[in-house]
Amino acid sequence: MRNPLADWINERTGYRAFARTFSDQVMPGGARWRYVFGTTLATVFLVQAFSGLMMMLAYSPSSNSAWGSVYYISNVMWMGWIIRGLHHFGAQTVMVLLGMHLVQTLLSGAYRKPREVNWWLGLALFVLVVGFGHTGYQLPWDQKGYWATKVVTNIMGGAPVVGPYIKTIVVGGNDYGNQTLTRFYGLHVGVLPVLLFLCLAAHVYLAKRHGLTPPAHVAPGREENYYPAQTFRNTAVSALVVAIMMGLVLYHGGAPLDAPADPSTPDYPARPEWFFLSLFQMLKSFPGRLEWVGSIVIPGSILTVLALLPLLEKVLPWKVLHFLACMFLFVLVGGAGYFTAAALWSDAHDEGFKEARRKADAAEARARFLASSPQAGIPPDGAGFLLRRDPFTEGKAVLEKKCMSCHVLDGQVAGEQSAADLTDFGSRAWIRGLLEEPSSAKYYGKVAKCDGMAEWKKTSKLTAKELDDVADFVASFAKIPADITPDEWLSDETVVKHPGSEPFQKECGKCHVIDGYTEGGVRDSPRLFAWGSPQWTERMIRKPGAPDLYGYLDPQFQMPAFGRDQLTEDDLKAMIRYLRGDYPMPMDRSSKAASPEAAGNVPAAAGHLP
């Protein structure tokens, strides 16, 4: 059936004659499955080019916006997760196909005259693909790409004489940031694609000029045109490979995206993609300043040997050379497999790595949740602040760093416990437990000179119902606004008529003073007005020895004060919000954050931080 449009185009371009130069190509020995790798690689290259162009429409190459734009592509943009997933798994598929193509070419002796130049072009394509993988790895500007890039560039910088200069050029200065990302992006979408296109075009041209390398022993007269038998094989394998890539995308839900890059992370478990694991493991055999030997000298030497193969036929008999080349290949493949297995085994038995990986996975999940949360979202000044301003992440980290040498949190303490357990500190449940058993290690059992409530408990006549009411009453103190005075608070009828008010006045008020409400005097105790509120907790952290707090204790028994030189305002606010449970959580815990009373997580009053 004639197609007028195709005829019109053919009259002006002659594309049918050009296509016939491929389809009519005679293949000695006939079509074979082992010839499919080149076409399949070209197919995946096209997928990479198309998906890359689609992502360029939304990607922003800046250290402030890169992570956010990749998150947008993966989670918001229509079909974005499929496009990015295909690009991600396509990059890994290219490495596999390229390796198989290299093996097939070497085993068939296709590096011999007259195909030397094509062999060298194939090696150049291999180097370019590795360059694509490395430069694309860090474009999301997430933890995984950032730390992997830092490891690689540090190794490059360790090379003698030129190493520091190369590192400076690649990084774009001394620090990793916009310059680094911009350079990698420029290489990934500008320089490398041009070089790849030129090498690929030359590679295809020479492959067509010299034809496919036939088997060593071909039956006389066995010839076949490229079309349709070989075309069918190529199309079938290409379709299968793309289908596998799509299957991986669907199975994994797209491509992974780690937490935003954070240079201050002390223990991120940096690991390269699986196809670089063998090199990563081998580098462990070259510690310290010798790393560049494993990362540059050995890979460079392997490439040099492969590049010299066509020339070595001039000094070695062909059969000897081919035998040695095949042995060299088997050693390479075997060595890569051994080091990859060793790397996986090492990580599987490294408890430190597994713990670091667990933390990294938790940070990734938290970052993704915050980015999607209407209560948080990606900060305008960059995704790098996403976790740094998250009370659940930063507040907990500050608390663990500053307070856990004395306090307990989630059953953990860095030193010997000498202060109260801060797990759910200030919640209604925490207060009720304190009223029930103040001498417990969770409260004041291990706090020196703070046995006042234990003494009160011995003489207390409050019933369980009254203790419940007092716990409810004290828990409400945390909601007192910062601009409310005790008189204004007491003018609220709900305060005076609260069921816990009377028992509180009768027993707690004997020690704890609230101006105009209780007089204290029986024993020195901190004042409890607005206990558990942000303003009370801030004062407790900044000035624990103030007269209205624990100033009655000797200095050696007071909690250390944390001035602004020890605890920034941002860190203090994050820690207080963490203690109060004031942070967004996923749906299965959102009810706790949104309605803390229901979960017994109300920051309250009556208790002591130290």
Side-chain angles (χ1 to χ4, degrees):
M1 181 181 295
R2 295 186 62 80
N3 186 324
L5 177 60
D7 293 343
W8 187 89
I9 295 175
N10 183 54
E11 288 174 4
R12 287 152 183 80
T13 63
Y15 78 90
R16 285 173 176 158
F18 178 74
R20 277 197 296 273
T21 62
F22 289 91
S23 60
D24 294 346
Q25 184 178 5
V26 177
M27 304 174 62
R32 295 178 184 274
W33 288 105
R34 68 186 188 186
Y35 295 152
V36 302
F37 295 115
T39 302
T40 309
L41 263 173
T43 302
V44 181
F45 278 142
L46 287 176
V47 172
Q48 293 299 92
F50 175 77
S51 56
L53 286 171
M54 291 297 100
M55 288 195 293
M56 285 175 65
L57 299 177
Y59 178 72
S60 176
S62 158
S63 58
N64 287 336
S65 56
W67 192 93
S69 63
V70 174
Y71 176 84
Y72 173 83
I73 293 170
S74 298
N75 298 276
V76 181
M77 191 171 85
W78 184 71
M79 300 282 285
W81 67 280
I82 292 180
I83 293 171
R84 183 166 174 260
L86 281 174
H87 200 76
H88 172 77
F89 290 107
Q92 303 185 43
T93 304
V94 164
M95 294 300 298
V96 174
L97 291 173
L98 202 56
M100 296 172 73
H101 190 40
L102 178 68
V103 170
Q104 182 267 327
T105 304
L106 193 146
L107 291 177
S108 63
Y111 53 86
R112 301 182 66 194
K113 181 183 177 179
R115 299 181 175 84
E116 300 98 320
V117 176
N118 220 16
W119 169 253
W120 293 329
L121 284 170
L123 294 179
L125 284 170
F126 182 83
V127 174
L128 290 174
V129 167
V130 171
F132 267 110
H134 181 61
T135 54
Y137 203 55
Q138 76 144 0
L139 295 187
W141 203 244
D142 60 356
Q143 287 280 66
K144 189 175 184 179
Y146 176 87
W147 287 104
T149 300
K150 194 161 186 175
V151 170
V152 171
T153 51
N154 282 340
I155 292 172
M156 293 167 59
V161 186
V162 298
Y165 298 102
I166 294 175
K167 179 184 175 184
T168 301
I169 292 172
V170 172
V171 173
N174 296 322
D175 299 321
Y176 296 79
N178 271 330
Q179 283 294 326
T180 315
L181 187 58
T182 303
R183 291 184 184 211
F184 275 64
Y185 181 66
L187 288 169
H188 193 75
V189 306
V191 177
L192 292 177
V194 171
L195 294 176
L196 180 75
F197 176 78
L198 294 176
C199 288
L200 194 59
H203 192 69
V204 172
Y205 167 76
L206 291 178
K208 184 174 180 304
R209 176 184 172 85
H210 300 302
L212 298 172
T213 305
H217 305 288
V218 178
R222 175 167 168 69
E223 293 183 346
E224 199 170 9
N225 281 359
Y226 197 90
Y227 180 84
Q230 190 60 47
T231 303
F232 168 77
R233 286 171 168 77
N234 292 348
T235 304
V237 174
S238 297
L240 177 63
V241 168
V242 173
I244 292 174
M245 288 167 51
M246 182 59 79
L248 290 171
V249 173
L250 296 175
Y251 178 77
H252 290 281
L257 178 63
D258 215 327
D262 182 3
S264 65
T265 306
D267 57 352
Y268 183 82
R271 292 291 185 278
E273 286 287 6
W274 62 267
F275 44 81
F276 286 140
L277 269 181
S278 57
L279 180 61
F280 172 80
Q281 184 67 19
M282 186 183 68
L283 289 178
K284 295 180 181 178
S285 304
F286 300 91
R289 297 179 64 84
L290 292 178
E291 277 190 335
W292 65 277
V293 175
S295 62
I296 298 175
V297 174
I298 292 180
S301 300
I302 293 172
L303 275 176
T304 302
V305 170
L306 291 174
L308 291 175
L309 274 181
L311 305 179
L312 292 176
E313 191 174 358
K314 296 182 182 300
V315 295
L316 291 174
W318 153 242
K319 290 187 177 180
V320 174
L321 174 63
H322 193 59
F323 174 78
L324 292 176
C326 292
M327 290 300 296
F328 182 67
L329 178 66
F330 291 139
V331 170
L332 277 182
V333 174
Y338 167 77
F339 281 117
T340 300
L344 295 173
W345 189 92
S346 176
D347 287 346
H349 294 79
D350 185 343
E351 294 301 323
F353 170 81
K354 288 193 285 188
E355 175 61 18
R357 188 64 255 171
R358 187 193 63 75
K359 289 182 179 178
D361 292 340
E364 174 191 342
R366 183 67 183 166
R368 282 175 168 270
F369 163 72
L370 290 174
S372 66
S373 171
Q375 298 171 277
I378 300 174
D381 42 359
F385 294 96
L386 193 61
L387 294 178
R388 275 183 238 168
R389 291 178 182 162
D390 174 34
F392 181 77
T393 304
E394 189 67 14
K396 185 178 182 181
V398 174
L399 191 68
E400 290 175 343
K401 182 178 179 182
K402 299 290 185 180
C403 307
M404 285 188 63
S405 58
C406 300
H407 288 281
V408 176
L409 182 68
D410 295 332
Q412 304 292 320
V413 59
E416 182 178 353
Q417 181 185 1
S418 59
D421 189 334
L422 295 182
T423 307
D424 291 331
F425 169 77
S427 67
R428 193 267 185 196
W430 193 94
I431 298 167
R432 184 63 180 86
L434 170 68
L435 295 174
E436 187 66 37
E437 192 178 4
S439 59
S440 164
K442 181 176 176 63
Y443 304 105
Y444 296 108
K446 294 192 176 183
V447 184
K449 304 298 181 183
C450 285
D451 56 350
M453 290 197 66
E455 288 189 8
W456 157 79
K457 187 64 179 177
K458 295 176 183 175
T459 60
S460 175
K461 300 184 182 305
L462 295 181
T463 65
K465 171 66 169 57
E466 288 174 322
L467 290 175
D468 287 340
D469 292 339
V470 170
D472 291 336
F473 185 57
V474 174
S476 70
F477 291 4
K479 298 178 181 178
I480 298 176
D483 59 348
I484 293 294
T485 66
D487 288 340
E488 292 171 332
W489 177 62
L490 290 170
S491 66
D492 185 346
E493 289 188 355
T494 61
V495 174
V496 180
K497 293 182 179 179
H498 193 286
S501 176
E502 184 179 340
F504 179 86
Q505 276 187 301
K506 186 171 69 176
E507 297 214 1
C508 305
K510 291 179 181 178
C511 300
H512 296 285
V513 176
I514 294 180
D515 292 337
Y517 183 57
T518 59
E519 297 181 352
V522 173
R523 181 161 177 160
D524 290 332
S525 299
R527 300 193 177 203
L528 295 184
F529 178 69
W531 183 91
S533 65
Q535 64 270 23
W536 188 95
T537 307
E538 178 177 347
R539 184 171 172 75
M540 181 66 211
I541 294 171
R542 293 291 192 205
K543 300 176 180 177
D548 58 319
L549 296 173
Y550 289 86
Y552 62 88
L553 293 175
D554 293 336
Q556 66 268 30
F557 298 118
Q558 294 176 5
M559 186 180 91
F562 289 87
R564 287 175 173 75
D565 56 336
Q566 298 168 299
L567 194 64
T568 67
E569 286 298 316
D570 287 342
D571 285 348
L572 176 63
K573 286 182 170 54
M575 189 166 69
I576 292 174
R577 287 187 62 186
Y578 174 73
L579 284 170
R580 291 171 56 81
D582 181 15
Y583 44 80
M585 292 298 287
M587 287 300 292
D588 60 335
R589 296 183 59 184
S590 61
S591 58
K592 181 177 181 178
S595 181
E597 294 90 344
N601 194 37
V602 181
H608 314 265
L609 257 183

